[in-house]
Amino acid sequence: MASRVSVLDGTIRALGAEMGPWNDMDVAMAYPGDMNAEHDAVREAVGMWDTSALKKIWVRGPDACAALDYLVTRDMNKLYVGKSAYVPILQDNGHFCDDGFVFHLEEDVYLAVTSIGPTLEYLQSWSKGRNVSVELDESLHMITLQGPNSGALLDSCTAMDMFSLRYCHQEKTELFGSERIISRTGYSGERGYEIFVPGEGAVELWQRLMEQGKDYGLMPISFSGLEMVHIESGLMAYGAEATEENTPWEIDFGWAVSRTKKDFRGCKALFALEGKEKVKLRGIVADHDAVVEHFAELQIDGEKVGFVTTPAYSKRLGQSLALVHVAPSAAEPGTRVDLVGPTIQCAATVASIPFVDPKRQRMHAM
């Protein structure tokens, strides 16, 4: 049983959600009705979900930037106030142990929002004896809005021009009369926003967005509905596509590794592993009319060359898709492989990702 509880738990259960644990917090795994409608809402209108299960960590003080700069692979000195960045977080051996976003909110004030790994403990260890405070904030909640109508919906709720907020930037603004932080980030591949709200205001904000969102096609989104979206958009999930067995090179995340800063956790080991990738993150299109199985093997001439990390069937594309790890020798798009699962065996074709909007124009659009 999950020990962390979102203040939105009762509100989401009242919508008929089937709940399940993620990161020690119950989240909406499924809603009544057709998951494809949720998928369509994110792609065509706007979807909303509770992301409060992510860990929110305040890092404050004169040494805050240095603490984060050592922890993550990107150069935090380039992160000006109002800017955010996706950050891989590594073990000493150069492999992943977590990932997340860092938001620079004020001078010497940062918010790190991370996944299921030990980022909090790493920051606390580094900060001992230094001029920085590290605080886990369980009262801060996150509501995510994603989809082409998300900007227009929020624009109708605040005096701020939401269409002026660039991707990976955030601002404080009044939302329904209360000051909130709105960030142009999210996990969908579409235009989207994340709203940071204290727990005491989260239920009212959710309900007011539900009401205001009726005119914009808003739907609450479950993790099951979101999985189709994230696979189509080629968005990796820590713990699935990136694990403690993987380096950023293997997930094609070299763009998130600074080559100019002098040091970060796992730096020397990471660069020693460059060019020695054991796997590559790719997609496959399976010759099948349903969802294939997690961890199904990918084979060529009977020899294993990879496995499925996350599968889903896209009704919108009419294809059985999956994110996979494959050996570099089999990673060329167009490579034919045999998928061998416990009950499903079929042919499949290795594909580049994202499957939709390959240049990510929707996510970055002004």
Side-chain angles (χ1 to χ4, degrees):
M1 183 177 178
S3 63
R4 302 169 65 219
V5 181
S6 169
V7 300
L8 290 164
D9 186 272
T11 303
I12 290 170
R13 289 180 190 272
L15 296 173
E18 177 185 325
M19 307 293 281
W22 184 80
N23 203 16
D24 200 27
M25 181 179 286
D26 281 346
V27 298
M29 290 297 178
Y31 284 109
D34 185 2
M35 286 186 299
N36 292 297
E38 298 177 36
H39 185 187
D40 289 342
V42 176
R43 292 286 185 232
E44 298 173 5
V46 56
M48 181 167 72
W49 58 96
D50 180 18
T51 40
S52 301
L54 293 169
K55 294 176 183 174
K56 286 78 62 183
I57 306 166
W58 291 103
V59 186
R60 299 181 176 100
D63 290 336
C65 183
L68 289 161
D69 196 52
Y70 179 70
L71 177 73
V72 307
T73 59
R74 302 185 74 174
D75 188 347
M76 291 292 98
N77 292 289
K78 296 180 178 179
L79 199 70
Y80 50 83
V81 172
K83 184 77 169 65
S84 65
Y86 168 80
V87 290
I89 299 162
L90 307 183
Q91 307 170 69
D92 288 329
N93 64 6
H95 291 217
F96 277 94
C97 70
D98 205 350
D99 76 335
F101 264 80
V102 173
F103 302 84
H104 193 176
L105 300 178
E106 302 172 23
E107 185 177 357
D108 296 336
V109 178
Y110 298 80
L111 180 64
V113 178
T114 66
S115 186
I116 59 177
T119 295
L120 175 65
E121 291 79 10
Y122 281 4
L123 280 169
Q124 288 172 332
S125 176
W126 189 94
S127 66
K128 290 177 181 176
R130 293 181 167 95
N131 196 357
V132 57
S133 67
V134 177
E135 177 190 2
L136 178 67
D137 190 347
E138 292 284 40
S139 68
L140 188 64
H141 282 56
M142 290 175 64
I143 295 175
T144 293
L145 288 167
Q146 302 284 297
N149 290 352
S150 58
L153 168 56
L154 283 174
D155 200 58
S156 72
C157 305
T158 177
M160 176 183 166
D161 176 10
M162 293 309 304
F163 295 98
S164 69
L165 186 61
R166 291 177 291 158
Y167 183 67
C168 280
H169 288 74
Q170 70 279 339
E171 286 190 24
K172 287 183 180 179
T173 186
E174 279 202 1
L175 182 60
F176 296 117
S178 297
E179 188 175 79
R180 306 291 182 229
I181 299 168
I182 301 180
S183 170
R184 177 79 189 277
T185 44
Y187 185 67
S188 69
E190 299 288 343
R191 172 186 288 275
Y193 303 85
E194 294 175 309
I195 307 166
F196 295 91
V197 53
E200 61 269 21
V203 171
E204 180 185 1
L205 177 57
W206 176 280
Q207 292 173 336
R208 295 194 69 170
L209 286 169
M210 286 285 287
E211 181 63 29
Q212 188 83 0
K214 289 177 181 178
D215 293 337
Y216 298 88
L218 183 144
M219 284 189 69
I221 307 299
S222 67
F223 270 45
S224 297
L226 185 59
E227 197 155 84
M228 301 179 209
V229 174
H230 109 243
I231 291 173
E232 283 184 345
S233 296
L235 300 173
M236 76 89 173
Y238 179 71
E241 284 70 50
T243 74
E244 292 184 355
E245 301 300 315
N246 302 123
T247 68
W249 314 128
E250 294 176 326
I251 315 300
D252 285 342
F253 271 26
W255 59 267
V257 176
S258 171
R259 294 184 178 275
T260 56
K261 71 178 189 176
K262 295 180 180 179
D263 196 18
F264 55 83
R265 191 179 187 93
C267 177
K268 185 176 180 181
L270 175 64
F271 283 104
L273 290 168
E274 188 175 12
K276 300 176 183 177
E277 296 81 19
K278 295 179 181 179
V279 299
K280 286 289 187 179
L281 177 63
R282 293 291 186 268
I284 59 166
V285 179
D287 298 351
H288 195 63
D289 59 3
V291 182
V292 300
E293 293 156 317
H294 280 87
F295 308 117
E297 283 193 5
L298 305 179
Q299 300 179 358
I300 296 179
D301 296 330
E303 292 199 10
K304 182 178 178 181
V305 295
F307 66 95
V308 171
T309 58
T310 313
Y313 184 82
S314 172
K315 187 176 179 181
R316 291 177 64 86
L317 299 181
Q319 293 177 322
S320 182
L321 308 176
L323 300 180
V324 301
H325 283 176
V326 294
S329 61
E332 183 68 24
T335 301
R336 292 289 283 174
V337 296
D338 296 314
L339 184 146
V340 181
T343 62
I344 297 173
Q345 294 85 43
C346 65
T349 304
V350 175
S352 58
I353 51 176
F355 293 100
V356 299
D357 191 25
K359 295 183 178 180
R360 301 201 187 280
Q361 292 173 318
R362 299 176 197 170
M363 184 168 65
H364 292 92
M366 290 299 293

